[in-house]
Amino acid sequence: MAVLQYAIDVIEQDRALWLAREAMANGVRWVEAGHVLIKAASIGIVSKFKALAADCVIVADMKTMDMGAEEVKLAAKAGADVVMVCGAASDGTVEAAVAAARKYGVRITVSLMGIRDQYCRAKQLDQLGVDYILAHRGIDDKFEWFDADHTAVLRRMVADIKTPLAIGGGINESNYPLVKDMGFAIIISGRGITEAKDPGRAARRLVNLAANSTGV
């Protein structure tokens, strides 16, 4: 079974909190404060998400490129359970983030957004002690995961990478079946929930799909 992670990237704090409540009420247990939301509402939004449901896993997408230990400490103190670091950061930054995560009792996801060779970087990260590696398509990116070349890379990563893998970027109810049985531990949806006519219903349907998928 894969975990569904809901990435909230709106910039209005009140709407972000409403979306988080709707998602949690409909079975979402992993909720992400996206980096643009953190920039708009401050790191305090992480604390507000955690206060909604202490048993939910709160992910802080810090987009960390430098000062790995300090950014992990900041997110952890705010109540984050998982902190997201950029895969384009140096190995030193990733290692510092991992060390801080162990100190503060949180986990590290490394995003491969913007990495030209996601497979190669994932192989390197596999040796650095991170908790999750995220095959990540940005909102502004033009490619689709379901193009043949990208699907082949995803399958190669699942086959060769020991660290649990996540996938995010453009995932919604209609295309979820294309990735649900690839073997990802975490499947991330953002706009697929946020932009739905009924975000709560969309969240519930994706939760049900995740529950019936083959994860790690």
Side-chain angles (χ1 to χ4, degrees), residues 126-206:
D126 211 17
Q127 307 302 313
L128 297 182
V130 306
D131 297 284
Y132 310 103
I133 298 172
L134 169 59
H136 207 175
R137 171 188 178 272
I139 287 176
D140 298 324
D141 288 335
K142 306 303 182 186
F143 72 87
E144 296 289 343
W145 284 128
F146 316 108
D147 297 337
D149 289 347
H150 291 289
T151 299
V153 171
L154 294 176
R155 293 191 183 282
R156 189 180 178 201
M157 288 173 64
V158 169
D160 294 348
I161 304 300
K162 296 178 182 178
T163 303
L165 294 171
I167 184 170
I171 309 282
N172 53 44
E173 183 182 349
S174 64
N175 59 37
Y176 192 100
L178 298 175
V179 297
K180 76 181 186 70
D181 292 327
M182 282 189 179
F184 290 96
I186 303 167
I187 300 178
I188 303 173
S189 182
R191 288 174 295 164
I193 296 173
T194 299
E195 296 182 358
K197 183 178 295 186
D198 183 341
R201 181 174 182 272
R204 169 60 65 182
R205 292 175 69 89
L206 281 168

Side-chain angles (χ1 to χ4, degrees), residues 50-107:
K50 194 64 177 178
L52 293 176
D55 62 331
C56 280
V57 173
I58 305 301
V59 181
D61 183 2
M62 301 295 281
K63 286 287 189 291
T64 299
M65 281 292 291
D66 193 10
M67 299 184 73
E70 289 78 6
E71 293 221 347
V72 169
K73 178 181 178 180
L74 182 66
K77 292 293 187 182
D81 301 288
V82 181
V83 183
M84 198 176 297
V85 176
C86 288
S90 69
D91 285 358
T93 294
V94 175
E95 290 167 343
V98 169
R102 302 298 173 259
K103 178 178 179 180
Y104 295 106
V106 299
R107 289 165 278 175

